[in-house]
Amino acid sequence: MKPKELHPLVAELFARGRRRSVRVAVEQEFLVADATTGAAVPIERVRRAAAGAIAAPYLGFEPGGQLELSLPCTLDPVGQVRTMVDDIASHLAAAHLTIYALPVDPRPEHEVPLQLTSPRYVAMHRHFDSIGPAGRRMMRRTASTQVCLDWWPGRAGLEQWRVLNLAGPYLAARFARSSGPHGRLSTWLDADPARTGFDDRLLVGDDPIAAYTAFAAGAAVFTAGGPGEHLTTMFPPVRPRSTYLEVRFLDAQEPFAIGRVINALTSLMYDATHRRSVLRALEPSRGELASQWRAAAAGELDLELVA
């Protein structure tokens, strides 16, 4: 994909908001199992069970059938998550289904088939298979907690982008619930390094739009939808989404623990003194970001630095 085709679309991804609002939205993923057998469950059975739930409008699915609650922006994300998860869990339990906030599915691969079979997902599956086994494990057997945060204009917004990327390994390690070669983070690191960007490529230079454009142009194209669709197949640890930033590097958290995650992220994003202090501490080691991500995935990152 040529950079000149991607650049205007990437510029839109980096537009940033016009106001300094502090809203948060949570995307919470769960593994789903039959309550009796523990087996994977067809997506349509889950949809039927969730019909009528207040959380139903926010229900989605990942390729292996993982359930995702994509909740709207709110000033009380912790209370919202608690209410929505309790609601959806109750409806599913009535249909003998159970959800688990686990970052990696313990069931073997052959028991967790690819359930979303649109051309995009089939092409993605095929592409990842050409690299190794991690991609299909990522698609079908991992779950995360993703947090979306308002992205500010001006200097503050540039700082927000850098601090989330630089602090990513430490935050991932702090809230890790899996580690080692088959942990969720290791799986992402191995899936397709050209499109996941767990290094300092996105922070090179003073122009984040140019850096992201080069990043996207360097990834193999496996869909037929043009540059716009190609950009949706980029999976960096922090994804630019025009007016907000999407944190994607966290293991799936238990709902009761999400408040601690949100506190850490909002402090980095919205407390200027703290944000700049962390940037001063981490900028000198930017070139070590790739090794920091590897150490975080292996469970070997210095816990004092994490603190």
Side-chain angles (χ1 to χ4, degrees):
M1 189 71 66
K2 295 180 180 179
K4 66 179 182 180
E5 297 177 287
L6 294 166
H7 189 275
L9 297 177
V10 172
E12 292 177 10
L13 295 178
F14 280 81
R16 292 181 279 159
R18 297 181 180 179
R19 297 179 301 166
R20 293 196 172 198
S21 50
V22 294
R23 298 168 304 169
V24 176
V26 175
E27 299 174 9
Q28 176 70 17
E29 296 176 356
F30 295 95
L31 307 180
V32 186
D34 183 284
T36 302
T37 66
V41 180
I43 286 174
E44 285 309 311
R45 180 181 169 191
V46 182
R47 288 190 192 278
R48 290 194 299 271
I54 59 172
Y58 311 113
L59 188 68
F61 296 91
E62 292 297 306
Q66 308 97 310
L67 181 152
E68 180 180 52
L69 286 178
S70 298
L71 302 176
C73 290
T74 178
L75 297 176
D76 180 24
V78 176
Q80 182 190 65
V81 168
R82 185 183 303 116
T83 298
M84 294 295 186
V85 171
D86 288 348
D87 171 62
I88 201 72
S90 175
H91 278 76
L92 296 185
H96 306 289
L97 301 175
T98 305
I99 54 175
Y100 300 96
L102 292 176
V104 181
D105 198 326
R107 294 171 294 199
E109 179 182 306
H110 69 273
E111 293 184 11
V112 187
L114 181 69
Q115 293 205 49
L116 297 182
T117 55
S118 67
R120 179 179 183 272
Y121 281 120
V122 171
M124 186 183 300
H125 205 269
R126 186 181 303 116
H127 168 74
F128 284 137
D129 278 352
S130 72
I131 298 171
R136 60 168 51 203
R137 184 165 67 246
M138 177 271 286
M139 290 180 69
R140 289 154 48 181
R141 298 175 56 216
T142 63
S144 69
T145 295
Q146 298 170 21
V147 182
C148 300
L149 302 132
D150 273 321
W151 194 6
W152 290 355
R155 173 190 173 191
L158 296 176
E159 291 175 351
Q160 289 172 327
W161 168 250
R162 294 190 74 84
V163 78
L164 286 182
N165 277 283
L166 288 168
Y170 300 100
L171 291 166
R174 167 64 180 83
F175 297 108
R177 301 185 62 229
S178 64
S179 62
H182 296 293
R184 179 188 167 277
L185 185 52
S186 291
T187 296
W188 274 93
L189 290 172
D190 293 338
D192 180 0
R195 70 185 347 101
T196 53
F198 286 90
D199 51 35
D200 68 337
R201 275 176 292 171
L202 298 177
L203 301 179
V204 171
D206 298 324
D207 184 353
I209 297 173
Y212 201 91
T213 299
F215 164 61
V221 177
F222 58 76
T223 64
E229 186 172 38
H230 176 65
L231 286 174
T232 71
T233 72
M234 306 304 297
F235 303 112
V238 180
R239 179 184 273 174
R241 300 297 295 268
S242 187
T243 59
Y244 64 94
L245 290 172
E246 180 183 54
V247 172
R248 301 177 50 83
F249 50 71
L250 296 166
D251 282 355
Q253 304 292 303
E254 291 288 358
F256 68 82
I258 288 176
R260 295 196 293 270
V261 173
I262 291 173
N263 287 340
L265 292 171
T266 54
S267 177
L268 278 177
M269 285 286 282
Y270 306 133
D271 182 331
T273 300
H274 181 50
R275 181 174 68 244
R276 290 168 187 168
S277 173
V278 172
L279 279 172
R280 285 194 298 271
L282 296 183
E283 283 283 9
S285 61
R286 192 204 77 199
E288 302 170 21
L289 202 53
S291 61
Q292 291 167 358
W293 278 116
R294 282 290 172 188
E300 298 171 353
L301 201 60
D302 188 328
L303 292 182
E304 292 186 8
L305 289 175
V306 172

